[in-house]
Structure formats: C-alpha cells, structure tokens
Amino acid sequence: MYKGTGASAGIGIGRAVIVEEKELVIKRETVTDPAAEIQRFKGALEVSMKQTEALAEDLGKRVGEKEAEILKGHIMLLSDPMLVGEIETNIQNECMNAEYAIESVCTMYADMFASMGDELMQQRATDMRDIKTRMQKVLLGVASVDIAALPAGSVIVAKDLTPSMTAGINPANVTGIITELGGRTSHSAILARALEIPAVVALGGILEQVKDGDMAVLDGTEGTVLINPDDAVLAEYQNKRDAFLKEKKDLEQYIGKPSVTKDGVSVELVGNIGKPEDVDKVLQYDGEGVGLFRTEFLFMDRDSMPTEEEQFEAYRKVAVALDGKPVIIRTLDIGGDKEIPYMGLEKDENPFLGYRAVRFCLDRKDDVYRPQLRALLRASAYGNIKIMVPLVTCIEEYRQVKALVHEIMAELDREGIAYNKNIQLGIMVETAAASLIADIFAKEVDFFSIGTNDLTQYTMSVDRGNDKVSYLYSTFNPAVLRSIKRIITCAREAGIMVGMCGEAASDPMMLPLLLAFGLNEFSMSPSAILRARKMVTQYDTRELQAVADKAMSFATTAEVENYMREFINQ
Ligand code: PEP
Ligand code: MG
C-alpha cells in the first residue's frame, strides 16, 4: 500500500492509464528575420488563447464557473504585456527562435515562483509551465494528450496534472486520479473534488510502481493507493466503494429535513466556506447557513489587498444567496501558517504564537481592518451577517474591535449608508486563554464559535502541522474535551449562542459528545452536513449525558477514542 494525500473523497477502482506529456525538445536556433519570427510567435499566442478560451467555456458549462476560473487565469497570463513583451524582446535582440524565447522567459518565471516555497506560488509555477507548453506545442504542431478520449474505468496516474489536462477529464470515464505532485489545495485537487472523482495526490515515486493497464485502487479519503491487489482485497474495496456511493445517495433523503434530535433539541448544521462561490455547495447540501467564512481566501492568490468595494461585493453575495439564514464572517486571520506575500509580514520566530489574526488587524487598523469592517457592515444590510473575531486571547482585544465597529457605524450613519444596527459581534474561542476566561467573555460577546483546530494546538502545545508531534494532536484528549465542555457551559449559562467551526464539528465520534454538552451550531465542510443531520436525528440528548460522563471520566486520549468509536458503531 502506498500513502499519499487524500484530495477528493471516495474509492476509485480501474485500469491505470499513465498520462505523460511528451517532453518537448526545445533547441536554441538563430533566426535571420526576427520580425517574421515575432509574427510566428503572435500567431501561436493567438491560437493558444483561443484553445484556452474554448477549454474554459467547456469546463464552465460542464462543471462550473469557479472551476473555469483557473483557465481564465491562464488567459490572463497569456495576455500579460510584460510576459509577451519579454518574449518578443528576446526574439528581436537575440535573434532567438520563438520556441526558445518562450522557454527561457516562462521557465525563468516558473522557477522564480517555485522557489518561493508556498503552495500558492507552486501553483503559479505550474500555471506558467502549462501556458509555456501550450504555446510551444502550437508552434511545433504537437497534439496534446487527449484525456477526454480515455476508455471507461480509467485511473489516471501522472506526475502532475496541469489544469488544462484536468479540465478535459470526463468523469464518466475516469474513476480515479493519482499524482506524484500537488497538494490538497492544488488546482487539480480542487477540480477533482468539483468533478467528484476520488483522488490521491503527493504520492512521490508512484510512477515507478505502476504501468499502463495495472489494476489501480485508491481511497481518496485515506490517501492510500494499491496496485494489482489480490482478489480478496479488490473485493473489499469494491464493497467499500459501493458503501460510499450508497451512503452518499441515502443521505440525500435528509435534504429538507430539520436538524432535531429524538427528544426535540434543534441544532444548526451550517457550512464552512472560503470563497463566495462555495455557497453553492452549502445550498446543495442543505446547510442552514454559514458558520465560518474564512475571509483570508479573498486576500490570497493575488498581488494586492482586495478593496473595500470588492470585499463588500463578496460578503453581500453570500448574504443574499443565504437569503436571511445566518452567515458568520470571520475577519482576516493571517499569519501563523497562512502567509500573504504583499501584506509585508516578516517571518516570525514562532508564527503560531506571533503576529497574526486580530493582533495583526488591530495593528493595521487603517489599511486593513477598517476597510474590512466597513465592507462587512455595509453588506449586513443585505442579509443576516454576523462578524466573528479570530484568535482572541483577552477581553481588551474584543473591546478594541467593538469600539472600532461602533466608530465605523457612526461614520456610516453620517454618510447615510445602510447597515444592520443590531449586527452580532462574536469571537472564535480557540486559544487556551479565551477558554479559561470563557465565563468573562460570555457576558460581553454576542456568540462563541469554538475553533478546535487551534484550540487543540494551543491546549496541547503542539504545532498543528508538525508530523513528529501529531500523536499529541487530538480533540479527544481529556484536556481539550474539558476545555470544549467548559466553553459550551459558560455560553449556555450566559444565554449566548455557541457553535463550533473546527474540524471536530463534523467528526462522527465527537458529535454525540457535543450534543450532550449542549452545542447549538455545528459548522463544517458542506459535504459533511447531511451525514451530521442523519446522526443528530438518531440521538436523544438525555441518553447521551451518560455517554458524555463516561467519556469525560477517562484519563487518556486512546480510552476516549476507543469508547466513542465503539459507541457510534454499536
Ligand atoms: C480553527 O482553528 O478551528 C478554525 C476553524 O480556524 P482555522 O482552521 O482557519 O484556523
Ligand atoms: Mg483557527
């Protein structure tokens, strides 16, 4: 068994098809008529644009506008006057052939992006190489691999899939995707999820283990791959696949049903989103609102900050789409593991303990926080927006944000601009400090949302991204559980709403405990909502009290996990 990163859920079983772009041989040649060569380049550029536009249009229709954005990005790259100008200058001044001029300029940019290290820049590098190859193929008259023509039951195995290759995939024929490169958030992973094709990425060396026609089995949830398994294992995965598909189908019956326990306790099952377009998935899976809009995604993948106007449009779009249902929008949470190059953040010695989230925003009120809060307040006139502050550790931080919100409200009043005067302002409870003074916070803030991803990290003193210490990272650790229970109790005693938007909110083993503790709102990846609803309707919170008491009595994480695993499987 090979282990990579699960990038799109489900079980894929089929015949391996190795998809390899032929290496193009690009030689430097000297041209005698640079002006004619520039014309040749311009011709290829135009054809490349047309090809990309056609692919984008097709993908937009078949999959969605959001997915087509990736290719629209390529069109923007192809029409970048600087890039085009540099290629033409090389042809003109160096008498270079067009193929080589493209090679040297695009490779220079791709290498520069790749060396910057973060995932976003890696993606830019992939995009740059993708457009380079497209233009060179047009010049050389080389046809692209026709992914659209693969036979039914194919599992694509590739070094990496460029967005334009992935765009051609027909989900009727492709049952799985395995790549050596990429990450969960690379464009091909995003596309695989949109197409609902199981995918495992970042599986280095897999191309040496597999050849065309091998039986390939992948589990896109676990991130595992098997090549030519024996019949018994194959049958096991076929059952797993059938169960996965059956569950997915069965869960559709929970669309439109209320999220109420057997004893009549109503909870809200809502979605986590990163971009306005993600709202489609929340609606598709019948989410009762948005419990976390991670606004930092609006700031990523670009060279400058989104303006107040751009942000206003994004927030308004979500509020309008949710049509009165609650939309909790979190103010900018950058720093830590989330970098935004143009923000001018220096590398912190201890990024997770450093200059991030509300600390950064309060320090950059004028250029960062004010425009965001103004955009949020303006958008609040169009729906049920609530504002949430991340990484709060002390009451002073909350008070400062609240004062700023009131200042902006007065400003909007003077300007005659509409906003919701009763807008709720809540906090993420995700630090040990906030948890310990949850009773104090609960008297002052409008709502809580427990961020278990960070709460676990800060409670256990364990970097959430560090593999070497990940054995300590569990929400089922008795310390973390006590913290969660206490936060919920403090909120209930003060009569404020308490939700959870960390990954634990959708963990089937955690859900019975959260119901027993009295959590009001569960915010999760939209595709997890229906399974959570099914579970909620099966429980009686009175019966769950004893389960929770028992779970809280254990001294170790393993005991809690074993007990809860057994409980949900019984
Ligand atoms: C969390 O910390 O649990 C959370 C939801 O926020 P993020 O994962 O964006 O830090
Ligand atoms: Mg967090």
Side-chain angles (χ1 to χ4, degrees):
M1 184 177 301
Y2 306 100
K3 181 93 179 78
T5 302
S8 177
I11 307 287
I13 301 175
R15 294 283 164 197
V17 178
I18 314 279
V19 176
E20 251 173 328
E21 286 278 7
K22 288 257 170 318
E23 267 304 309
L24 296 176
V25 184
I26 306 295
K27 287 204 200 100
R28 174 166 187 167
E29 276 156 28
T30 306
V31 294
T32 47
D33 185 353
E37 191 66 3
I38 288 179
Q39 285 315 313
R40 200 175 144 251
F41 162 64
K42 282 190 170 155
L45 183 65
E46 203 184 312
V47 175
S48 304
M49 292 257 230
K50 290 222 170 90
Q51 284 178 350
T52 315
E53 276 162 12
L55 264 176
E57 199 188 313
D58 172 56
L59 192 67
K61 277 199 214 116
R62 274 195 309 125
V63 188
E65 279 311 313
K66 186 180 141 211
E67 284 67 33
E69 291 279 310
I70 299 166
L71 292 169
K72 289 191 184 142
H74 287 195
I75 297 169
M76 272 169 66
L77 278 179
L78 287 166
S79 34
D80 181 354
M82 205 159 95
L83 185 80
V84 172
E86 277 185 53
I87 295 171
E88 290 182 1
T89 308
N90 270 354
I91 299 176
Q92 185 66 49
N93 296 354
E94 314 276 329
C95 295
M96 250 182 215
N97 51 326
E99 292 87 337
Y100 196 81
I102 293 169
E103 180 72 24
S104 56
V105 174
C106 293
T107 305
M108 187 265 293
Y109 278 114
D111 289 349
M112 186 179 86
F113 292 144
S115 71
M116 292 180 183
D118 74 2
E119 206 170 326
L120 183 71
M121 287 296 145
Q122 296 298 339
Q123 190 57 54
R124 288 243 168 112
T126 306
D127 290 339
M128 188 54 83
R129 292 196 193 101
D130 202 1
I131 63 155
K132 176 193 82 159
T133 313
R134 176 150 332 122
M135 289 190 284
Q136 290 172 332
K137 279 183 172 166
V138 173
L139 285 166
L140 295 168
V142 174
S144 290
V145 178
D146 191 3
I147 285 199
L150 294 181
S154 297
V155 170
I156 293 178
V157 188
K159 181 138 205 97
D160 196 9
L161 285 180
T162 61
S164 33
M165 280 157 90
T166 324
I169 288 175
N170 177 357
N173 298 343
V174 176
T175 59
I177 298 172
I178 305 169
T179 64
E180 289 201 335
L181 303 179
R184 245 196 83 77
T185 53
S186 61
H187 286 154
S188 38
I190 293 170
L191 271 174
R193 285 197 290 278
L195 294 164
E196 303 195 7
I197 300 175
V200 174
V201 299
L203 186 47
I206 190 69
L207 281 166
E208 279 147 43
Q209 313 297 332
V210 59
K211 48 184 195 314
D212 264 323
D214 279 349
M215 179 53 77
V217 175
L218 65 138
D219 182 332
T221 312
E222 300 290 330
T224 49
V225 169
L226 295 156
I227 303 298
N228 295 325
D230 63 33
D231 288 350
V233 174
L234 189 59
E236 184 193 315
Y237 275 88
Q238 276 160 344
N239 289 339
K240 248 183 153 177
R241 178 187 57 189
D242 295 347
F244 179 87
L245 294 175
K246 183 170 178 302
E247 192 197 8
K248 204 167 150 192
K249 187 96 203 106
D250 282 354
L251 287 175
E252 284 173 13
Q253 61 177 295
Y254 289 92
I255 292 178
K257 296 257 167 70
S259 308
V260 181
T261 63
K262 272 189 183 160
D263 54 324
V265 175
S266 263
V267 294
E268 271 176 33
L269 300 179
V270 293
N272 288 352
I273 64 170
K275 290 255 167 82
E277 304 84 68
D278 298 346
V279 158
D280 296 350
K281 286 271 177 215
V282 177
L283 297 175
Q284 181 189 331
Y285 291 108
D286 196 29
E288 293 151 68
V290 167
L292 170 65
F293 180 171
R294 290 182 162 101
T295 58
E296 50 277 11
F297 286 100
L298 296 178
F299 290 68
M300 291 177 183
D301 221 345
R302 48 188 295 149
D303 305 317
S304 61
M305 245 179 42
T307 61
E308 177 188 320
E309 214 49 40
E310 284 174 85
Q311 292 188 60
F312 163 69
E313 276 307 328
Y315 306 147
R316 189 178 68 108
K317 203 168 159 187
V318 177
V320 168
L322 267 298
D323 195 19
K325 289 178 185 154
V327 176
I328 299 184
I329 306 185
R330 177 173 79 183
T331 63
L332 189 62
D333 182 359
I334 58 160
D337 56 342
K338 299 167 197 150
E339 285 177 45
I340 298 179
Y342 59 81
M343 281 290 193
L345 283 162
E346 283 164 22
K347 263 235 169 318
D348 267 343
E349 188 86 22
N350 282 306
F352 281 118
L353 304 182
Y355 186 59
R356 62 171 286 207
V358 68
R359 304 169 182 183
F360 166 78
C361 285
L362 284 172
D363 193 40
R364 295 272 295 264
K365 275 191 192 142
D366 289 337
D367 65 331
V368 179
Y369 220 12
R370 263 175 196 282
Q372 179 168 44
L373 291 170
R374 242 184 92 98
L376 283 168
L377 283 168
R378 285 172 55 202
S380 72
Y382 297 86
N384 187 5
I385 288 180
K386 305 179 189 190
I387 300 176
M388 177 155 75
V389 191
L391 204 84
V392 176
T393 51
C394 57
I395 206 89
E396 295 89 323
E397 281 168 336
Y398 178 76
R399 287 181 184 161
Q400 281 185 58
V401 179
K402 190 161 181 169
L404 188 59
V405 167
H406 283 157
E407 249 178 60
I408 298 169
M409 284 178 164
E411 193 177 281
L412 293 173
D413 283 336
R414 282 195 299 276
E415 294 169 27
I417 296 174
Y419 64 92
N420 173 11
K421 290 187 175 3
N422 299 314
I423 191 165
Q424 291 197 6
L425 183 64
I427 60 165
M428 291 210 51
V429 185
E430 55 180 345
T431 62
S435 166
L436 285 165
I437 55 164
D439 53 330
I440 301 178
F441 273 118
K443 293 196 191 94
E444 241 177 273
V445 313
D446 295 322
F447 64 89
F448 283 168
S449 185
I450 307 175
T452 47
N453 305 343
D454 277 317
L455 185 66
T456 308
Q457 146 165 289
Y458 293 125
T459 304
M460 299 303 296
S461 302
V462 58
D463 178 342
R464 64 196 252 191
N466 186 337
D467 279 348
K468 290 197 205 93
V469 287
S470 60
Y471 66 95
L472 286 168
Y473 187 93
S474 169
T475 355
F476 295 96
N477 179 280
V480 183
L481 274 186
R482 272 167 174 66
S483 180
I484 291 172
K485 182 175 179 194
R486 181 185 148 70
I487 298 164
I488 297 173
T489 306
C490 290
R492 304 282 311 216
E493 280 171 0
I496 61 166
M497 195 280 277
V498 54
M500 178 177 285
C501 58
E503 290 302 311
S506 61
D507 187 331
M509 282 169 28
M510 187 57 84
L511 187 128
L513 296 176
L514 299 174
L515 282 175
F517 296 158
L519 191 76
N520 303 124
E521 177 235 49
F522 299 66
S523 192
M524 57 194 77
S525 148
S527 61
I529 289 174
L530 294 175
R531 188 181 59 186
R533 182 168 297 151
K534 179 180 175 189
M535 288 189 76
V536 166
T537 59
Q538 284 169 348
Y539 290 122
D540 183 315
T541 60
R542 292 165 304 189
E543 289 167 13
L544 291 176
Q545 296 309 320
V547 177
D549 287 346
K550 179 86 186 160
M552 295 298 282
S553 73
F554 295 115
T556 67
T557 306
E559 285 167 297
V560 181
E561 285 181 353
N562 290 339
Y563 174 68
M564 289 314 297
R565 189 172 301 113
E566 239 169 68
F567 173 73
I568 63 161
N569 288 329
Q570 82 195 355

